[in-house]
Amino acid sequence: MSTCATASRDAAEPVAGTSATARTWLLVEQTGPWGTEALIESHLDPRIGRALEAAADGTGVRVALIRRPGRHADCHGSTARRVFLAHTAPGRSWMRTATITDPGALLSLDFARLGAGEHDGLWAPYTGDPLVFVCTNGKRDRCCALLGRPLAAELTVSGTEAWEITHIGGHRFSPTLFVLPYGYAYGRASAPLVKDAVESARSGRVLLDHCRGRSAWERPAQAADLAVRELIREDRADALDAVRTEAVSPPGAGEAPVTPAWAVTVAHRDGRSWRVTVEQRTDGAPAPASCGLPLGRPARMAVLSVRALPGPASSPAPS
C-alpha cells in the first residue's frame, strides 16, 4: 500500500515553506507511548497537557513532547525529565534547559514573554552540540514511525544529539525533523544529510538541501528566506531576516484574488533587502496530506519573483 510520503516524493512536491511555525519551542521529555494528541494522550497528566496547550495558545510558543530514541517502556513512574526552551528568531536565538520532576511547574512560565524571545534568566543556557528532533509519532501518521524512528536510532548510534518528537507537521515529507538552535526544518531526510545540517548549525550556518524553512516565520516568509538564500548563495543562519509580510493580489488576479499571495521583505544584515512575491498554489499532482486521507492537492508556497530593493550596491561575498 502506498504511503503519503511515497506519494509526495513521487509527485516531486517541494518542501520549501512547509515548516511548523514556532518562534519559541517548549520541549518536554515524556517516556512511554504517545497518542495522536500526545499532550493529552501519553503518560503526561492530561490535565497538565491541556493546560500547557491553553497557556501557549497565541503566544508564539509551541509545546511538544520528546523522548530518547529506542524502546519506550510503558511505565507510569514519576521520574526526572529533561526540558528545553528555544527561541528561533534570527539574531536572537537562544536555548535554555533544565531537569524537572514536576511537569506541572511548567504552567508557571510566562508564555507571552517566552514567545517574545525573553527568557529572563530561566534555567541554564544550553551550550552543547546542535539538537535534532525527528518526528516519530506513528499514531498521527505511520510514515513518521516507519521512516522517522529508524533515522532517529541511526543518528543516535552515530553520536548525533537526537530526540524523537511528537508532531511537527508535514507527515508526507517523512522523515522530517528540525535542528536547534536556529529552528530550520528538513524533509525527506537521511542520516548523512542530518549530519551535514548539524555540522552547518555548529558553525552558525544552515544547510539548504531538503530545507523546509525556519520555524520563526509563517510559511510565506519561510519560502522567501530560502529563495533569497539560493539566489545570493547565503548560508549564514542569522544573515537574513523576514522583516515584513503583507498580503497582496497575485499577478492577473484582478480585484478578487483567486489564491492567497504575499509580499515578503527579506533583509540582510549588511543592509541589502529584497521583495519576494509568494503565492499559495494547489496545482501539484494529487496526493494525500496524510496516510489514510483521500487524494487532494496540498497547498504549496510558490515564489513568483525576487526583486532587490534600493540599498547598498554591493557587499562582500559570504565567507
Side-chain angles (χ1 to χ4, degrees):
M1 180 181 295
S2 178
T3 65
C4 66
T6 300
S8 177
R9 189 187 299 268
D10 289 347
E13 182 184 359
V15 303
T18 65
S19 175
T21 300
R23 292 194 303 271
T24 302
W25 292 88
L26 172 59
L27 306 171
V28 184
E29 184 177 7
Q30 178 59 59
T31 59
W34 297 333
T36 302
E37 301 296 332
L39 282 177
I40 58 174
E41 296 177 340
S42 69
H43 290 164
L44 178 70
D45 185 331
R47 294 171 298 178
I48 294 176
R50 290 190 186 92
L52 286 172
E53 283 187 319
D57 186 40
T59 66
V61 178
R62 186 177 179 121
V63 185
L65 302 183
I66 60 174
R67 64 191 177 196
R68 287 295 191 181
R71 296 182 62 86
H72 308 297
D74 191 5
C75 57
H76 292 264
S78 177
T79 59
R81 63 188 75 205
R82 193 76 178 271
V83 291
F84 295 97
L85 271 169
H87 187 66
T88 61
R92 299 186 59 208
S93 56
W94 48 256
M95 290 185 64
R96 314 287 289 188
T97 188
T99 299
I100 64 172
T101 56
D102 176 16
L106 299 173
L107 296 173
S108 65
L109 298 178
D110 189 333
F111 284 83
R113 284 189 61 76
L114 293 173
E118 304 297 336
H119 59 69
D120 298 323
L122 179 69
W123 303 343
Y126 176 79
T127 57
D129 277 346
L131 297 178
V132 176
F133 297 88
V134 184
C135 188
T136 63
N137 190 354
K139 292 295 185 180
R140 290 196 70 99
D141 192 283
R142 61 178 176 159
C143 287
C144 297
L146 293 174
L147 301 174
R149 287 179 185 169
L151 175 61
E154 183 179 356
L155 292 172
T156 298
V157 169
S158 70
T160 301
E161 283 291 315
W163 294 78
E164 297 185 5
I165 190 168
T166 47
H167 180 53
I168 57 174
H171 318 294
R172 62 191 184 277
F173 304 123
S174 295
T176 184
L177 56 95
F178 69 95
V179 181
L180 291 176
Y182 302 113
Y184 277 95
Y186 296 86
R188 304 184 188 125
S190 64
L193 180 138
V194 177
K195 292 174 185 176
D196 288 345
V198 168
E199 186 58 37
S200 295
R202 187 179 289 121
S203 60
R205 298 175 183 272
V206 53
L207 180 72
L208 297 182
D209 191 20
H210 289 244
C211 190
R212 297 177 62 192
R214 190 169 188 158
S215 71
W217 303 310
E218 298 292 337
R219 292 180 178 182
Q222 295 172 14
D225 166 63
L226 295 176
V228 173
R229 288 185 179 280
E230 291 283 1
L231 177 67
I232 66 173
R233 296 179 297 168
E234 176 61 80
D235 66 353
R236 290 170 292 183
D238 285 339
L240 297 180
D241 194 359
V243 296
R244 183 179 180 184
T245 301
E246 55 185 327
V248 297
S249 297
E255 295 182 359
V258 294
T259 57
W262 301 266
V264 182
T265 302
V266 176
H268 197 289
R269 64 187 180 190
D270 66 11
R272 290 178 293 167
S273 61
W274 296 261
R275 180 183 172 93
V276 184
T277 304
V278 182
E279 183 179 270
Q280 180 175 297
R281 290 184 174 175
T282 54
D283 55 358
S290 188
C291 287
L293 294 182
L295 290 177
R297 295 185 183 274
R300 66 182 179 92
M301 294 292 115
V303 173
L304 304 185
S305 64
V306 180
R307 179 170 61 88
L309 297 175
S314 63
S315 63
S319 59

